[in-house]
Amino acid sequence: MSHDTFGHLFRVTTWGESHGPAIGCVVDGCPPGLPIGESDLQIWLDRRKPGGNRFVTQRKESDTAQILSGVFEGVTTGTPISILIANEDARSKDYGEIADRFRPGHADYAYFAKYGVRDHRGGGRSSARETAARVAAGGVARLVLGPEIRIRAAVVQIGPHRVSRERWDWDEIERNPFWCPDSTIAGTWEGFLDKTRKSGSSCGAVVEVHAEGVPAGWGAPLYGKLDAELAAALMSINAAKGVEVGAGFAAAELSGEENADEMRMGEHGPEFLSNHAGGILGGVSTGQALIARVAFKPTSSILTPRRTVDITGAEVEVATRGRHDPCVGIRGAPVVEAMTACVLADAFLRHRGQTGGGAFQPGRPGRL
Amino acid sequence: MSHDTFGHLFRVTTWGESHGPAIGCVVDGCPPGLPIGESDLQIWLDRRKPGGNRFVTQRKESDTAQILSGVFEGVTTGTPISILIANEDARSKDYGEIADRFRPGHADYAYFAKYGVRDHRGGGRSSARETAARVAAGGVARLVLGPEIRIRAAVVQIGPHRVSRERWDWDEIERNPFWCPDSTIAGTWEGFLDKTRKSGSSCGAVVEVHAEGVPAGWGAPLYGKLDAELAAALMSINAAKGVEVGAGFAAAELSGEENADEMRMGEHGPEFLSNHAGGILGGVSTGQALIARVAFKPTSSILTPRRTVDITGAEVEVATRGRHDPCVGIRGAPVVEAMTACVLADAFLRHRGQTGGGAFQPGRPGRL
Amino acid sequence: MSHDTFGHLFRVTTWGESHGPAIGCVVDGCPPGLPIGESDLQIWLDRRKPGGNRFVTQRKESDTAQILSGVFEGVTTGTPISILIANEDARSKDYGEIADRFRPGHADYAYFAKYGVRDHRGGGRSSARETAARVAAGGVARLVLGPEIRIRAAVVQIGPHRVSRERWDWDEIERNPFWCPDSTIAGTWEGFLDKTRKSGSSCGAVVEVHAEGVPAGWGAPLYGKLDAELAAALMSINAAKGVEVGAGFAAAELSGEENADEMRMGEHGPEFLSNHAGGILGGVSTGQALIARVAFKPTSSILTPRRTVDITGAEVEVATRGRHDPCVGIRGAPVVEAMTACVLADAFLRHRGQTGGGAFQPGRPGRL
Amino acid sequence: MSHDTFGHLFRVTTWGESHGPAIGCVVDGCPPGLPIGESDLQIWLDRRKPGGNRFVTQRKESDTAQILSGVFEGVTTGTPISILIANEDARSKDYGEIADRFRPGHADYAYFAKYGVRDHRGGGRSSARETAARVAAGGVARLVLGPEIRIRAAVVQIGPHRVSRERWDWDEIERNPFWCPDSTIAGTWEGFLDKTRKSGSSCGAVVEVHAEGVPAGWGAPLYGKLDAELAAALMSINAAKGVEVGAGFAAAELSGEENADEMRMGEHGPEFLSNHAGGILGGVSTGQALIARVAFKPTSSILTPRRTVDITGAEVEVATRGRHDPCVGIRGAPVVEAMTACVLADAFLRHRGQTGGGAFQPGRPGRL
């Protein structure tokens, strides 16, 4: 429960600051016997890694994951997996000015109010750098889930520009630096982001995640609802301001007839005729694709001087000098995937714990 | 962590089904010495109580809270407070037809897939009736927070009709059956809901909650973020499909300059010039009003027959006969208040535990 | 984590005071589909029930368990099982004198120091009456474990008189009121207890529990060690002052050769040639009988006036008038069984969650 | 809850194997603003460090603690403190023979049964080397508790030889390699241990810990009892087989008059006339010294060949070659201190969370 751990049976604890020697995580409760290597984590870390193009922060980090425990002769042992990622390119001097000034939109003031002390360098603990540890943990979670569960995120909105559902093509995501499934809007975004970046401003984004292959029966009613845990996990990502599942906020405008997904029997069992639920009913997975969206606010680090106060109570101005992402939502996509993987791995283990695993299906005796 | 408990130091466990003998909750970790009586809970339960007008379910329940433990001579003792609310007007025979059929949009199919067995009467554990226990717990949480923290919810959208921010008047909420702060739109809603109700349909809603008086410093970074815990708590409410804090999804369309709230010194300390953050930065409260919104889907219980399957795998139709709310979001408002109160009470105790309580303020030595 | 819950996946929350209207518990995380009725709990409650003979408290309680939720048509649904036990024979007036005086050996002073307020009637929350809720929960846990796991406790020491291991006969336990497996020492105890009771004094005891049929592989290294969880569970029982597993404190006097249990292959797999480990190695069950002992201090309620202070700081004397057990350890036996059952049920579900269940065995491929 | 974390508000997660690159821990929930340096941890690590004399393992480890996060400019920031201790002297080749054989008394067989895979080198996760991480965490806990709380452990029994209470002198502990408070018995132990060591055998021990200066009011009734949490924490240490508080198992032989500690008023408030309770009543501290004892079994690593089986199911013999402690209880003393410190730090923060801190005292208004 303390503040830096999430999950129950599959449990992740992260640690580290932006400009300390390293960041990392401890993954506890992982099933034993899973083949794993550092490369299984690195493929995901590489997708989150900074410095890859002009639309993300220019900080250069190899984000190399070192596994320090919990793995023996290439398989998980069931004991805690400690993962360490060194900080290689911290330029703390960029941040001297903000040691005493509270940057608007950042955690600076709130941390000061709470703790009376903070590691201001690069935002310290509140830096998006922490999300590398989440991505590494997500890599372990994916191994727990296995290849039949496919988790993919896409950026579906940057500033006011949204992707077209008609043009959606998952393959496009690999072809542009925006995790954009719509090649047309990707062009629009490029111009929009260049303008944003050059003006020293920033913009927000919405990320959508799909988890396909999740069997029916994971999650639990009420306080252990799969959507509640997903909401917490996604809202815990830096800069997240909203989370929705399935139809989400748009459900408020639907009628009961439109919203409730009807069912028929398909070849392999029941099928839903639509997916307004986003794959979750009553907090429990239905076997449909799990679909959620996260809204990211615009990066609070901007070049324009902004009014604020300092720790002496003086009214001052502050502009951000350090390297940063103009649109933090873009690199949020792999983090959204990772958090979804962790929530699902935990739900899987807990479901198996309480019930033995598998699901009941209409017309079939016993658990699948 | 199990599935029916939430909170850490201020921890609530609920139990009970719609048509069992009773529902209830156990509130653990409550500070000792707080004056409390059943009437302190009843005032909030009465606001959630069904049967009050034609826009909510016609089930008649007095929702009388009995305190069975944890209170001695009118004050809390610090030991668990067990609260029991009898079910008085369960009509299980209304539900015979659905024993074997999965109502679209309901938890029926997901529960079956998970458990292989379910109490179908009135939805069993998935019934919104469970929220009475939350409201009772919220009543305790408000006593922990004290009168200086004011938590109020309003319904801000029903179907496509949204309140006007200009016409917002908190006093209006007591004058209409919709928790509507805008008397003009309340009239629109009345017609819209009557039409919905008469056609046997249902509609969605959005509820907004404000918590004023929350001091700076509550919450924690990352996995213990106040907004992450609020997201989980609000998403755990039946029929919730989305949660947002402050500017929420709209933040995706803002620029960094627009979104980040600037600060100046006010009479009693720092003040923010806007509140896009919704009172939380970096997961920690800022001293501004905490503002969040929850989207509720339309009630899945509708009179129109809908296609589904039954537990034998046969394709059937089902229509809901039992009494229900045409717009579950309306009675969601007091539940949103209660969950917010519980999250804040827990955050308060945890903040006090880790730091001793109080907040640092610019220009002042020591903790307030 | 709050203070009145234990377990992780199989989680029990208890509530209630000695002289309130009722006590009870909520059992969360129970697997679905288990046939269960109130009689499955009552058989265990009847074994703990007070008033049965002259060696236990004369308070008359039927200790009737009512199941209020989580069970539908005779089977568990996987949702929380709320169990209520009414208090029927509370005589609060017996306790008037101790409202302001701290009884030596009781929780009175410590509760006052912590909370500043306490329900003094019958010890309030610290009363051994709370253990009825544990026994009810243990009844559920036994259903989770199934009949192949047999959990039995015996009293092995009262005052200075210990049972003989040579004369040990489990059947004897049903033939005397002391849970004594040794008919010879049972006679000694009878005289000793009569003398103790008549002199208004009290005495301590040691209870030993055996859990047979526990498969190898339950538990976890270090902080989740099966023995660590058992130690916490048993030490949480009122009046417990010590816990040991296997050879326990006597292991300090053994040599490595004597203590480490050797192994050979038996008909159905590996067998240990002794059981100093008490069925647990490295925190994980070995397949041998799990054996633990709990020391109970003498009941602190005695008729002899004792020196103490009152809440005004005055030096006073206090003698106990209310009904009580002269040797609380006797009725501790069913509670020790219940706690052991709960710890094992939780270990079973968590093991199944992390690994899928079953155990590896030398010479056999795959999990059993 | 997963398996490698303990504590609630002050929470410690450890990781690492005996022969991996490093071990370590993450301390979460530490109050902010505490001055801390690596030397504050090193003083305690040095007391646990192997290789110091002929009575402990000859493995040479500097046990240098590196703080990787959570500390800024010499003070804690309230964010997680990651501590890393490199493994410098692992000789894995010593352990080749045991890769496939289950050493009696060790976790080997139980781990295999659970996980099907284990890092056999030096016992992997079950190695006492893990306790270095506990000692480092305990160093942080001591800073949380402050200098007014003094936690000291002594070895009170090795094999059959017990210290004399009359000769007890805390200063003696620094003068012999056994943490022995009795100079006379220390001489006896030296001979006994030399004989044990030379014969390739091992012996058990009992460690006693005293925590002085703990104020009244810490802990909680029942499942959060300070003694229950202490029991779990101490039983979680490798090789621990029993835990007792205050009079412990001896309480079973006392009468109620002998056992219950009477009270009188002292100069600074109430005083107890004896301490059979070990400083805890009803699970809550009383202000007296907290006293507990832990029994350690003899090290299972012995030179004598022992009968066992291997993973193919063959009956074999095994003798231990790797370096080890002949009496693991000796180096258990600093670990017992560390675990006690962690339990108390957590109890302190939770008490402060629920109540605001301080204690009520007879005759004084309000909380101290």
Side-chain angles (χ1 to χ4, degrees), chain A residues 316-350:
Chain A
V316 295
E317 293 204 334
V318 67
T320 302
R321 258 185 261 279
R323 299 155 300 176
H324 63 269
D325 291 275
C327 178
V328 77
I330 298 172
R331 284 172 62 228
V335 183
V336 167
E337 287 184 354
M339 295 309 288
T340 302
C342 290
V343 167
L344 287 172
D346 190 35
F348 162 46
L349 299 187
R350 288 155 74 193

Coordinates of all heavy atoms in Angstrom, one line a residue, chain A residues 316-350:
Chain A
V316 N 7.4 35.4 -8.5 CA 8.5 35.3 -9.5 C 8.0 34.8 -10.8 O 6.8 34.5 -10.9 CB 9.7 34.4 -9.0 CG1 10.4 35.0 -7.8 CG2 9.2 33.0 -8.7
E317 N 8.8 34.7 -11.8 CA 8.5 34.0 -13.0 C 9.4 32.8 -13.2 O 10.5 32.8 -12.7 CB 8.6 35.0 -14.2 CG 7.6 36.1 -14.1 CD 7.3 36.7 -15.5 OE1 8.1 36.6 -16.4 OE2 6.1 37.2 -15.7
V318 N 9.0 31.9 -14.0 CA 9.8 30.7 -14.3 C 9.6 30.2 -15.7 O 8.4 30.2 -16.2 CB 9.6 29.6 -13.2 CG1 8.2 29.0 -13.4 CG2 10.7 28.5 -13.3
A319 N 10.6 29.9 -16.4 CA 10.5 29.2 -17.7 C 11.4 28.0 -17.6 O 12.3 27.9 -16.9 CB 11.0 30.2 -18.8
T320 N 11.0 27.0 -18.4 CA 11.7 25.7 -18.3 C 12.8 25.7 -19.3 O 12.7 26.0 -20.4 CB 10.7 24.5 -18.6 OG1 9.7 24.6 -17.6 CG2 11.4 23.2 -18.5
R321 N 14.0 25.3 -18.8 CA 15.1 25.2 -19.7 C 15.4 23.7 -20.0 O 15.8 23.4 -21.2 CB 16.3 25.8 -19.1 CG 16.6 27.2 -19.7 CD 17.9 27.8 -19.1 NE 17.6 28.7 -18.0 CZ 17.2 30.0 -18.2 NH1 17.1 30.5 -19.5 NH2 17.0 30.8 -17.2
G322 N 15.3 22.8 -19.1 CA 15.7 21.4 -19.3 C 15.0 20.8 -20.6 O 14.0 21.3 -21.1
R323 N 15.6 19.7 -21.0 CA 15.0 19.0 -22.2 C 13.7 18.3 -21.8 O 13.6 17.8 -20.7 CB 16.1 17.9 -22.6 CG 17.4 18.5 -23.1 CD 18.5 17.5 -22.9 NE 18.7 17.1 -21.6 CZ 19.6 16.2 -21.2 NH1 20.3 15.6 -22.1 NH2 19.7 15.8 -20.0
H324 N 12.8 18.4 -22.7 CA 11.5 17.7 -22.3 C 10.8 17.4 -23.6 O 11.1 17.8 -24.7 CB 10.7 18.7 -21.5 CG 10.3 19.9 -22.2 ND1 11.1 21.1 -22.1 CD2 9.3 20.2 -23.0 CE1 10.6 22.0 -22.9 NE2 9.5 21.5 -23.5
D325 N 9.7 16.6 -23.4 CA 8.8 16.2 -24.5 C 7.8 17.3 -24.7 O 7.1 17.7 -23.8 CB 8.1 14.9 -24.1 CG 9.0 13.7 -24.1 OD1 9.2 13.1 -25.1 OD2 9.4 13.4 -23.0
P326 N 7.6 17.8 -25.9 CA 6.6 18.7 -26.2 C 5.2 18.1 -26.0 O 4.2 18.8 -25.6 CB 6.8 19.2 -27.6 CG 7.7 18.2 -28.2 CD 8.5 17.5 -27.1
C327 N 5.1 16.8 -26.2 CA 3.8 16.2 -26.0 C 4.1 14.9 -25.3 O 4.4 13.8 -25.9 CB 3.1 15.9 -27.4 SG 1.6 15.0 -27.2
V328 N 3.9 14.9 -24.0 CA 4.3 13.7 -23.2 C 3.4 12.5 -23.5 O 3.8 11.4 -23.2 CB 4.3 14.1 -21.7 CG1 2.9 14.2 -21.1 CG2 5.2 13.2 -20.9
G329 N 2.3 12.8 -24.0 CA 1.4 11.7 -24.3 C 1.9 10.7 -25.3 O 1.6 9.5 -25.3
I330 N 2.8 11.2 -26.2 CA 3.3 10.2 -27.2 C 4.1 9.1 -26.6 O 3.8 7.9 -26.8 CB 4.2 11.0 -28.2 CG1 3.4 12.0 -29.0 CG2 4.9 10.0 -29.2 CD1 4.2 13.0 -29.9
R331 N 5.1 9.5 -25.7 CA 5.8 8.4 -25.0 C 5.0 7.8 -23.9 O 5.4 6.8 -23.3 CB 7.2 9.0 -24.5 CG 8.2 9.1 -25.7 CD 9.4 9.9 -25.3 NE 10.1 9.1 -24.3 CZ 10.6 9.7 -23.1 NH1 10.5 10.9 -22.9 NH2 11.2 8.9 -22.3
G332 N 3.8 8.4 -23.7 CA 2.9 7.7 -22.8 C 2.3 6.4 -23.3 O 1.9 5.5 -22.6
A333 N 2.3 6.3 -24.7 CA 1.7 5.1 -25.2 C 2.3 3.7 -24.7 O 1.6 2.9 -24.3 CB 1.7 5.1 -26.8
P334 N 3.6 3.6 -24.8 CA 4.2 2.3 -24.3 C 4.0 2.2 -22.7 O 4.0 1.0 -22.2 CB 5.7 2.4 -24.6 CG 6.0 3.8 -24.9 CD 4.7 4.4 -25.4
V335 N 3.9 3.3 -22.1 CA 3.6 3.2 -20.6 C 2.2 2.7 -20.4 O 2.0 1.9 -19.5 CB 3.9 4.6 -19.9 CG1 3.7 4.5 -18.4 CG2 5.2 5.1 -20.3
V336 N 1.3 3.2 -21.2 CA -0.1 2.7 -21.0 C -0.2 1.2 -21.3 O -0.9 0.5 -20.6 CB -1.0 3.5 -22.0 CG1 -2.4 2.9 -22.1 CG2 -1.2 5.0 -21.5
E337 N 0.5 0.8 -22.3 CA 0.6 -0.7 -22.6 C 1.1 -1.4 -21.4 O 0.6 -2.5 -21.0 CB 1.5 -1.0 -23.8 CG 0.9 -0.6 -25.1 CD 1.9 -1.0 -26.3 OE1 3.0 -1.5 -26.0 OE2 1.5 -0.9 -27.5
A338 N 2.2 -0.9 -20.8 CA 2.9 -1.6 -19.7 C 2.0 -1.7 -18.5 O 1.9 -2.7 -17.9 CB 4.2 -0.9 -19.3
M339 N 1.3 -0.6 -18.2 CA 0.4 -0.6 -17.0 C -0.8 -1.6 -17.2 O -1.2 -2.3 -16.3 CB -0.1 0.8 -16.7 CG 1.0 1.8 -16.3 SD 2.0 1.2 -14.9 CE 0.9 1.3 -13.5
T340 N -1.3 -1.6 -18.5 CA -2.3 -2.5 -18.8 C -1.9 -4.0 -18.6 O -2.6 -4.8 -18.1 CB -2.8 -2.3 -20.2 OG1 -3.3 -0.9 -20.3 CG2 -4.0 -3.2 -20.6
A341 N -0.7 -4.2 -19.1 CA -0.1 -5.6 -18.9 C 0.0 -6.0 -17.4 O -0.3 -7.1 -17.0 CB 1.2 -5.7 -19.6
C342 N 0.5 -5.0 -16.6 CA 0.7 -5.3 -15.2 C -0.7 -5.6 -14.5 O -0.8 -6.5 -13.7 CB 1.4 -4.2 -14.5 SG 3.1 -4.0 -15.0
V343 N -1.7 -4.8 -14.8 CA -3.0 -5.0 -14.3 C -3.6 -6.3 -14.7 O -4.1 -7.1 -13.9 CB -4.0 -3.8 -14.7 CG1 -5.4 -4.2 -14.4 CG2 -3.6 -2.5 -14.0
L344 N -3.4 -6.7 -15.9 CA -3.9 -8.0 -16.4 C -3.2 -9.2 -15.8 O -3.8 -10.2 -15.4 CB -3.9 -8.0 -17.9 CG -4.9 -7.1 -18.6 CD1 -4.7 -7.1 -20.1 CD2 -6.3 -7.6 -18.3
A345 N -1.9 -9.0 -15.7 CA -1.1 -10.1 -15.1 C -1.6 -10.4 -13.6 O -1.7 -11.5 -13.2 CB 0.4 -9.8 -15.1
D346 N -1.8 -9.3 -12.9 CA -2.3 -9.4 -11.5 C -3.7 -10.0 -11.5 O -4.0 -10.9 -10.7 CB -2.2 -8.0 -10.9 CG -2.5 -8.0 -9.4 OD1 -2.0 -9.0 -8.8 OD2 -3.1 -7.1 -8.9
A347 N -4.5 -9.5 -12.4 CA -5.9 -10.1 -12.5 C -5.9 -11.6 -12.8 O -6.7 -12.3 -12.2 CB -6.7 -9.3 -13.5
F348 N -5.0 -11.9 -13.7 CA -4.9 -13.4 -14.1 C -4.5 -14.2 -12.8 O -5.2 -15.2 -12.5 CB -3.9 -13.5 -15.2 CG -3.3 -14.9 -15.4 CD1 -4.2 -16.0 -15.4 CD2 -2.0 -15.1 -15.5 CE1 -3.7 -17.2 -15.6 CE2 -1.5 -16.4 -15.7 CZ -2.3 -17.4 -15.8
L349 N -3.5 -13.8 -12.1 CA -3.0 -14.6 -11.0 C -4.1 -14.6 -9.9 O -4.3 -15.7 -9.3 CB -1.7 -14.0 -10.4 CG -0.5 -14.0 -11.4 CD1 0.7 -13.6 -10.7 CD2 -0.3 -15.4 -12.1
R350 N -4.8 -13.5 -9.7 CA -5.8 -13.5 -8.6 C -7.0 -14.3 -9.0 O -7.6 -15.0 -8.2 CB -6.2 -12.0 -8.3 CG -5.1 -11.3 -7.6 CD -5.2 -9.8 -7.8 NE -6.3 -9.2 -7.1 CZ -6.7 -8.0 -7.3 NH1 -6.2 -7.2 -8.2 NH2 -7.7 -7.5 -6.6

